[in-house]
């Protein structure tokens, strides 16, 4: 049977405008779940249902197909079931829908693989995600009511200790898998049902965790970053024009070139060096005089007609795996390097091709703190590597 992943992502959002493609830890929010769905390898097709051009563009960048949903199912009052039903009406080849919520950025492929087995091999008609919580519930007393609250799941005279109480299962909304015949009857949950319990640290819902910086920290700690495990970065290669500088060249009357840079980026480079990470610079033009004036003390390659070959030479000379190499670029000439490096980033104003190839998109523009920001991103991921080692 044809199993399709379907992410619903309309353009309207009452809380955060275009929330579904807002950058979270350097990746569009929807990109986190699409990456997990693709790497799971269990779906015959992966779709994003949207009514917005920018969301369509991002979805395609991350390898998904796009279903343009109608205005009728794109309203604030529209339900997920209506949008899924419309999708099925246009895609008769689909037998099972895995509806994945775009706002669950800590979803991992391993979860999706296990759920696919439940519905494809064990014969369940619907499977949905839950999380275990240890919360005591009390009845609500509305204003003006002359009554007392009552315990719902505890005896106050004998309160459980957390370690002695298994807790309760709650839907967390990360995904709902259901077979076509069930959806056509108007249900996402029904028939032979099963729940799938997700780990609490992977149960992050941006609809609830609206505090974006907190959500970013959760994703950096517990998110899925790709098939290969992260390794400690030993080398950062940074494109000079458009990353270390803003890409503008000023020419004086006596034909001398001048560029500007942000001192925060120089601090970022110094911090990397203090952590034992080498920083090397690259440019496809001759900017040796500029580099000399900046006195950065970094190995640099100018007039690089083939940046990827330079990167490969450095990687081999230092005896590094690609997972130990980070790359910050901004132009089409950087695309292959961005794809090859284990950790890759671009400034906010990088070209579209570079943004598509990068794993992290900075909030800062080139020459305006992008190197410093990418440095902080590297440090955060290194904390994740060290934490994994301790575990």
């Amino acid at each position: 049977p044809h199993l399709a992943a379907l992410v619903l992502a309309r353009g309207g959002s009452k809380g955060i405008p275009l929330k579904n493609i807002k950058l979270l830890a350097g990746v569009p929010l929807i990109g986190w779940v699409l990456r997990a769905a693709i790497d799971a390898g269990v779906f015959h097709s992966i779709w994003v249902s949207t009514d917005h051009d920018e969301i369509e563009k991002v979805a395609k960048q991350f390898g998904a197909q796009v279903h343009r949903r109608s205005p009728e199912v794109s309203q604030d009052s529209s339900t997920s079931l209506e949008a899924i039903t419309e999708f099925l009406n246009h895609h008769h080849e689909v037998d099972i829908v895995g509806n994945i919520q775009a706002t669950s950025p800590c979803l991992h492929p391993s979860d999706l693989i296990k759920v696919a087995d439940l519905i494809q091999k064990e014969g369940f008609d619907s499977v949905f995600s839950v999380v275990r919580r240890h919360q005591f519930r009390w009845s609500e007393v509305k204003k003006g009511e002359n009554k007392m609250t009552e315990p719902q799941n505890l005896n106050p005279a004998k309160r459980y200790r957390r370690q002695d109480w298994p807790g309760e299962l709650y839907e967390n909304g990360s995904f709902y898998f259901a077979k076509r015949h069930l959806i056509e009857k108007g249900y996402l949950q029904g028939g032979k049902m099963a729940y799938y319990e997700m780990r609490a640290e992977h149960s992050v819902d941006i609809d609830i965790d609206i505090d974006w910086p907190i959500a970013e920290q959760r994703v950096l700690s517990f998110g899925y970053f790709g098939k290969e495990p992260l390794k400690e970065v030993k080398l950062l290669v940074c494109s000079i024009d458009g990353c270390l500088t803003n890409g503008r060249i000023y020419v004086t009357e006596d034909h001398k070139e001048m560029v500007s840079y942000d001192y925060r980026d120089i601090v970022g480079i110094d911090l990397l060096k203090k952590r034992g990470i080498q920083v090397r610079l690259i440019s496809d033009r001759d900017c040796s005089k500029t580099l000399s004036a900046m006195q950065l003390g970094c190995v640099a390659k100018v007039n690089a007609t083939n940046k990827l070959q330079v990167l490969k030479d450095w990687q081999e000379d230092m005896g590094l795996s690609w997972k130990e190499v980070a790359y910050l670029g901004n132009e089409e000439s950087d695309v292959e390097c961005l794809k090859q490096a284990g950790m890759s980033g671009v400034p906010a104003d990088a070209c579209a091709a570079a943004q598509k190839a990068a794993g992290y998109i900075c909030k800062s523009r080139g020459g305006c703190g992008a190197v410093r920001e990418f440095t902080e991103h590297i440090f955060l991921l290194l904390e994740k590597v060290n934490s994994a080692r301790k575990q």
Side-chain angles (χ1 to χ4, degrees):
H2 186 114
L3 172 59
L6 178 63
V7 182
L8 305 179
R10 68 186 185 92
S13 173
K14 290 183 177 180
I16 304 173
L18 287 179
K19 171 183 62 184
N20 291 313
I21 54 173
K22 179 180 170 66
L23 292 182
L24 180 72
V27 176
L29 178 58
I30 198 174
W32 290 100
V33 295
L34 290 176
R35 177 191 290 165
I38 290 169
D39 285 357
V42 295
F43 297 103
H44 298 92
S45 60
I46 297 172
W47 296 84
V48 171
S49 169
T50 187
D51 61 338
H52 198 278
D53 292 343
E54 284 301 310
I55 296 177
E56 176 175 356
K57 178 181 175 182
V58 172
K60 289 180 176 178
Q61 283 182 351
F62 277 84
Q65 300 180 71
V66 173
H67 169 76
R68 289 297 294 220
R69 61 202 289 183
S70 67
E72 288 76 22
V73 298
S74 301
Q75 309 301 315
D76 287 341
S77 58
S78 300
T79 66
S80 297
L81 183 60
E82 290 171 340
I84 296 169
T85 300
E86 182 196 71
F87 168 79
L88 284 177
N89 289 338
H90 286 81
H91 299 279
H92 300 288
E93 75 281 4
V94 175
D95 302 298
I96 308 168
V97 173
N99 173 216
I100 301 172
Q101 184 168 266
T103 54
S104 300
C106 285
L107 183 65
H108 282 239
S110 56
D111 296 321
L112 298 173
I113 292 168
K114 292 172 184 174
V115 173
D117 283 345
L118 285 172
I119 205 163
Q120 288 183 312
K121 297 179 181 179
E122 298 189 30
F124 288 97
D125 296 309
S126 59
V127 184
F128 54 93
S129 57
V130 299
V131 64
R132 189 174 299 275
R133 292 178 180 165
H134 295 77
Q135 296 173 319
F136 294 131
R137 291 182 289 108
W138 292 78
S139 63
E140 181 180 359
V141 177
K142 295 182 180 179
K143 189 175 181 179
E145 290 183 343
N146 186 23
K147 64 178 184 179
M148 295 187 299
T149 185
E150 297 288 341
Q152 298 292 297
N153 63 347
L154 76 152
N155 178 359
K158 191 178 180 181
R159 292 172 65 93
Y160 296 111
R161 295 188 307 163
R162 181 184 177 91
Q163 58 266 41
D164 296 332
W165 183 42
E168 297 179 330
L169 298 177
Y170 290 80
E171 286 186 30
N172 67 355
S174 284
F175 53 77
Y176 296 86
F177 281 57
K179 292 181 177 177
R180 172 186 281 272
H181 71 84
L182 198 63
I183 297 170
E184 290 175 341
K185 292 177 182 177
Y187 299 99
L188 273 177
Q189 296 160 296
K192 184 181 178 183
M193 287 187 291
Y195 63 78
Y196 177 83
E197 184 177 345
M198 287 179 62
R199 292 166 58 179
E201 60 267 31
H202 292 170
S203 185
V204 177
D205 186 351
I206 301 300
D207 278 335
I208 298 172
D209 302 325
I210 284 296
D211 192 331
W212 212 260
I214 292 176
E216 287 191 323
Q217 291 300 318
R218 291 284 299 276
V219 169
L220 286 169
S221 297
F222 304 115
Y224 172 71
F225 287 84
K227 292 180 179 179
E228 294 293 328
L230 294 172
K231 284 193 175 182
E232 188 156 353
V233 173
K234 302 289 182 63
L235 169 68
L236 168 65
V237 177
C238 176
S239 183
I240 298 169
D241 300 306
C243 290
L244 185 58
T245 74
N246 62 9
R248 294 180 179 178
I249 301 174
Y250 304 90
V251 182
T252 64
E253 289 183 354
D254 55 351
H255 305 293
K256 291 183 178 179
E257 291 185 0
M258 294 189 300
V259 298
S260 65
Y261 62 90
D262 193 311
Y263 181 70
R264 292 174 297 176
D265 292 333
I266 307 305
V267 172
I269 290 174
D270 287 340
L271 288 172
L272 289 165
K273 289 180 178 179
K274 288 176 181 177
R275 287 282 294 265
I277 299 173
Q278 281 203 38
V279 179
R280 297 190 177 188
L281 306 174
I282 194 166
S283 175
D284 42 23
R285 71 182 189 92
D286 186 359
C287 53
S288 51
K289 290 184 179 180
T290 299
L291 289 173
S292 177
M294 294 173 75
Q295 297 183 333
L296 296 176
C298 298
V299 173
K301 175 66 176 177
V302 299
N303 284 329
T305 56
N306 188 336
K307 289 183 176 179
L308 180 59
Q309 187 57 54
V310 173
L311 186 63
K312 285 180 177 179
D313 290 342
W314 283 344
Q315 175 246 339
E316 291 174 1
D317 289 344
M318 295 177 67
L320 302 178
S321 69
W322 283 114
K323 279 291 177 181
E324 296 171 304
V325 177
Y327 192 93
L328 184 67
N330 72 304
E331 278 297 342
E332 290 191 7
S333 59
D334 297 306
V335 167
E336 294 306 315
C337 295
L338 291 166
K339 289 180 179 178
Q340 191 71 59
M343 193 180 297
S344 59
V346 294
D349 54 348
C351 73
Q355 288 194 18
K356 182 178 179 180
Y360 182 89
I361 303 174
C362 297
K363 296 171 186 171
S364 306
R365 298 167 67 88
C368 300
V371 177
R372 182 73 170 88
E373 182 182 339
F374 192 54
T375 297
E376 291 297 329
H377 179 65
I378 291 173
F379 289 160
L380 284 169
L381 291 186
L382 290 184
E383 287 181 16
K384 184 179 174 73
V385 172
N386 292 330
S387 176
R389 285 176 178 171
K390 291 176 182 177
Q391 292 175 2

